[in-house]
Amino acid sequence: MGTTVVDFGMDKALEQLGLKKENKGTYTGNGFFDSEEMISSISPVDGEEIGKVGITTPEGYEKVIQTAQEAFIYWRSIPAPQRGEIVRQFGDRLRELKEPLGKLVSYEMGKSYQEGLGEVQEMIDICDFAVGLSRQLHGLTMHSERPGHRMYEQYHPLGIVGIISAFNFPVAVWAWNTALAWVCGDVCVWKPSEKAPLCGVACQHIISGVLAENGMPEGISCLINGDYRVGEMMTNDKRIPLISATGSIRMGKIVAQAVAARLGKSLLELGGNNAIIVTPDADIKMTIIGAVFGAVGTAGQRCTSTRRLIIHDSKYDEVKNVLTDAYSQLRIGNPLDENNHVGPLIDTDAVAMYQKALEDVVEQGGNILVEGGVLSGEGYESGCYVKPAIVEAQNEFQIVQHETFAPILYLLKYSGKVENAIEMQNNVVQGLSSAIMTNNLREAERFLSAAGSDCGIANVNIGTSGAEIGGAFGGEKETGGGRESGSDAWKIYMRRQTNTINYTEDLPLAQGIKFDL
């Protein structure tokens, strides 16, 4: 390759986003704080340092929380449709900056430029959804058992929402949370991944400009930066009623325990071990498209990436052969070059985990079908580029039971009825995304029934990746049980209140209890 990143307009993109070589990483909306200690953002594309971001100190964190608390008092009193107007303007600003922000996502994280643009589009889409939602934060009315009484429920803002996001979706997952939280009347404090901190600073610049133009107070949107120790400031802080955390199962368990210990609320989006079931009635062309993108998109670093392909024995050889041929056509390289299909892993630690997984699966009895490996030479100087691998394996292998954040696809064989495949699919601790490829209506309905997939997402004739924002996103079991984005996911960002109004001159008690004075 040998193409420099400058040829793809990165310098201009960084300038458009207001990013410099050194960036302040602690923001209280329109204000920011200096920090002596910095994080270096290293691009996995070429191994170059993009810039530095200041790490939040305990003193800076305290200022952030105080500013957020003050902003909440103001923000919660603004009518929800007016809050939605701010979110609408934010979405419009994202439309204006979609290209540079998409490039930054691609360059800092390593996903393809098209996927970077798609991630910014997700931000725009959730803003549109939130604007409509701002006029529909509805409760219910209920009939009272007492004459002359009216009952209803309503939802009120929680307060400060703490958001901890992962490197693989460095901007979209924050937007999923914050757009909804804002229209609900909450204020947000965000800790982006330390592996993609510049994306967080860029987003903060964008929303800060919108807030300032509308005369809104500092603290509606805040940013903190650092490693897990900065995140712990939020998870242990009683002033933050809700922590939304995206990451590994290991991280999620730590967050859940810390937040539960103070009786706070957690919204957890954790690991996935997602499978596509391929039945005798599957359309093979559709199957291959869904499986390949699911397995190699974002270099296998999506929580919804396809890890397992569970194939009926009557179709196994056909799928294996077509899939192997498809993998031979994959182009690996600079993700800003739209001719390439697969970019780098996030860092060399991820590469080491990829290599260890391939070693482990062979030790446990797997057969390498499409060989992996680390790429080197011109264009691969960062050491983060690997070859997508396919392995014939067994579902009970220990390594197959775990999520490896890399482009490794395990081929598993099943016999007999679709129930056997569903049992294999469900026999892992994760429960995020799942799919079945079939033209058999009975198989599809069985897969979607209560006795079918135990995942939060279950698709028919599409892959495991690429969820739309209109539906609630999340999974069961050790995926954490959280729901973000569409449907009624907004309710987690609010507190529910039941109201009973007595408009008579008497005071009857519920359940017919008599208490006369």
Side-chain angles (χ1 to χ4, degrees):
M1 286 170 37
T3 307
T4 64
V5 70
V6 176
D7 293 340
F8 294 100
M10 273 310 306
D11 286 348
K12 181 180 178 182
L14 295 173
E15 181 181 352
Q16 288 175 290
L17 296 169
L19 297 173
K20 303 175 182 178
K21 283 298 180 183
E22 293 193 359
N23 302 271
K24 294 169 177 136
T26 304
Y27 291 77
T28 58
N30 304 326
F32 47 83
F33 299 90
D34 287 314
S35 175
E36 293 183 3
E37 194 176 358
M38 310 284 282
I39 302 171
S40 289
S41 175
I42 306 297
S43 172
V45 174
D46 53 18
E48 296 294 322
E49 181 181 85
I50 314 171
K52 297 180 184 291
V53 176
I55 294 175
T56 300
T57 63
E59 295 76 20
Y61 173 81
E62 187 61 30
K63 180 62 176 176
V64 164
I65 298 302
Q66 290 175 6
T67 309
Q69 287 180 310
E70 293 169 5
F72 173 63
I73 301 302
Y74 174 86
W75 186 240
R76 69 182 178 185
S77 65
I78 301 295
Q82 292 183 28
R83 299 193 294 255
E85 168 60 17
I86 301 298
V87 174
R88 184 194 67 77
Q89 293 179 34
F90 177 54
D92 284 348
R93 194 64 51 85
L94 290 171
R95 286 178 170 89
E96 296 169 8
L97 295 169
K98 181 177 178 178
E99 181 179 332
L101 186 55
K103 282 185 179 178
L104 175 61
V105 169
S106 177
Y107 187 48
E108 188 172 37
M109 184 268 148
K111 64 176 59 176
S112 74
Y113 178 46
Q114 281 300 312
E115 289 183 85
L117 292 175
E119 184 166 346
V120 181
Q121 186 61 49
E122 280 192 63
M123 301 174 75
I124 295 167
D125 291 345
I126 197 63
C127 285
D128 289 349
F129 181 89
V131 172
L133 179 65
S134 68
R135 295 181 181 271
Q136 300 180 68
L137 300 173
H138 54 76
L140 297 173
T141 59
M142 289 78 70
H143 289 280
S144 173
E145 66 186 54
R146 290 169 282 185
H149 287 59
R150 182 167 69 89
M151 292 179 63
Y152 70 96
E153 66 179 19
Q154 58 182 332
Y155 288 83
H156 295 302
L158 277 176
I160 301 174
V161 173
I163 302 167
I164 301 172
S165 63
F167 74 85
N168 60 333
F169 279 85
V171 295
V173 171
W174 167 71
W176 284 3
N177 283 272
T178 204
L180 299 190
W182 282 337
V183 298
C184 289
D186 300 317
V187 298
C188 297
V189 179
W190 177 26
K191 192 200 90 64
S193 169
E194 62 270 30
K195 297 182 180 182
L198 284 171
C199 283
V201 175
C203 290
Q204 185 64 39
H205 282 321
I206 297 170
I207 185 58
S208 292
V210 173
L211 293 172
E213 290 167 8
N214 286 272
M216 292 293 162
E218 295 183 352
I220 292 173
S221 179
C222 298
L223 183 74
I224 58 177
N225 270 288
D227 61 15
Y228 71 93
R229 291 168 292 186
V230 175
E232 286 177 348
M233 296 181 194
M234 287 204 298
T235 57
N236 293 318
D237 195 335
K238 293 182 178 180
R239 295 168 295 182
I240 303 180
L242 172 65
I243 296 290
S244 175
T246 304
S248 67
I249 291 173
R250 181 193 62 81
M251 180 276 286
K253 289 181 178 180
I254 295 171
V255 169
Q257 291 175 24
V259 177
R262 60 180 177 83
L263 298 181
K265 294 202 295 184
S266 297
L267 193 171
L268 301 175
E269 295 290 354
L270 310 176
N273 195 346
N274 317 294
I276 297 177
I277 295 172
V278 185
T279 79
D281 289 309
D283 182 313
I284 299 302
K285 182 179 179 180
M286 290 176 60
T287 297
I288 297 303
I289 294 172
V292 174
F293 177 73
V296 309
T298 322
Q301 296 173 113
R302 292 184 176 214
C303 51
T304 55
S305 289
T306 305
R307 310 287 176 201
R308 299 174 294 148
L309 205 58
I310 304 172
I311 312 166
H312 192 268
D313 54 13
S314 66
K315 289 286 186 178
Y316 187 84
D317 288 339
E318 179 183 1
V319 172
K320 179 174 72 171
N321 293 334
V322 178
L323 193 63
T324 302
D325 180 64
Y327 267 54
S328 70
Q329 301 173 49
L330 291 175
R331 292 185 296 273
I332 307 166
N334 190 320
L336 290 167
D337 183 344
E338 296 187 65
N339 291 313
N340 293 323
H341 298 109
V342 184
L345 293 177
I346 186 64
D347 55 26
T348 53
D349 288 340
V351 173
M353 286 191 292
Y354 157 87
Q355 292 175 300
K356 182 67 164 57
L358 288 176
E359 292 171 3
D360 287 350
V361 75
V362 171
E363 288 180 4
Q364 293 167 26
N367 174 49
I368 302 290
L369 188 63
V370 174
E371 194 165 340
V374 182
L375 296 170
S376 60
E378 185 179 7
Y380 304 122
E381 291 87 353
S382 69
C384 297
Y385 292 88
V386 303
K387 293 188 286 186
I390 301 177
V391 184
E392 295 179 293
Q394 299 294 323
N395 200 53
E396 60 269 20
F397 287 178
Q398 186 179 20
I399 189 62
V400 176
Q401 290 285 310
H402 289 82
E403 177 188 47
T404 301
F405 235 47
I408 301 174
L409 179 63
Y410 300 114
L411 300 193
L412 313 174
K413 187 185 295 185
Y414 83 97
S415 304
K417 296 182 178 181
V418 73
E419 285 84 352
N420 298 330
I422 293 171
E423 183 179 0
M424 288 176 63
Q425 179 211 275
N426 292 346
N427 192 25
V428 292
V429 298
Q430 309 88 350
L432 180 53
S433 188
S434 59
I436 188 170
M437 294 293 184
T438 182
N439 289 322
N440 184 311
L441 180 61
R442 289 177 175 173
E443 288 180 334
E445 291 294 342
R446 176 70 177 178
F447 179 73
L448 300 176
S449 72
S453 171
D454 64 1
C455 296
I457 299 169
N459 298 327
V460 176
N461 290 332
I462 60 172
T464 59
S465 288
E468 299 179 23
I469 61 94
F473 180 91
E476 299 302 320
K477 301 190 292 188
E478 290 194 9
T479 299
R483 291 297 184 276
E484 294 173 316
S485 193
S487 185
D488 64 349
W490 61 271
K491 291 182 179 179
I492 189 69
Y493 305 98
M494 305 195 81
R495 58 181 176 88
R496 186 192 304 227
Q497 184 181 82
T498 300
N499 308 114
T500 305
I501 300 171
N502 177 5
Y503 56 89
T504 73
E505 296 178 354
D506 299 316
L507 186 59
L509 301 177
Q511 292 84 48
I513 295 173
K514 301 296 183 182
F515 187 77
D516 296 325
L517 294 177

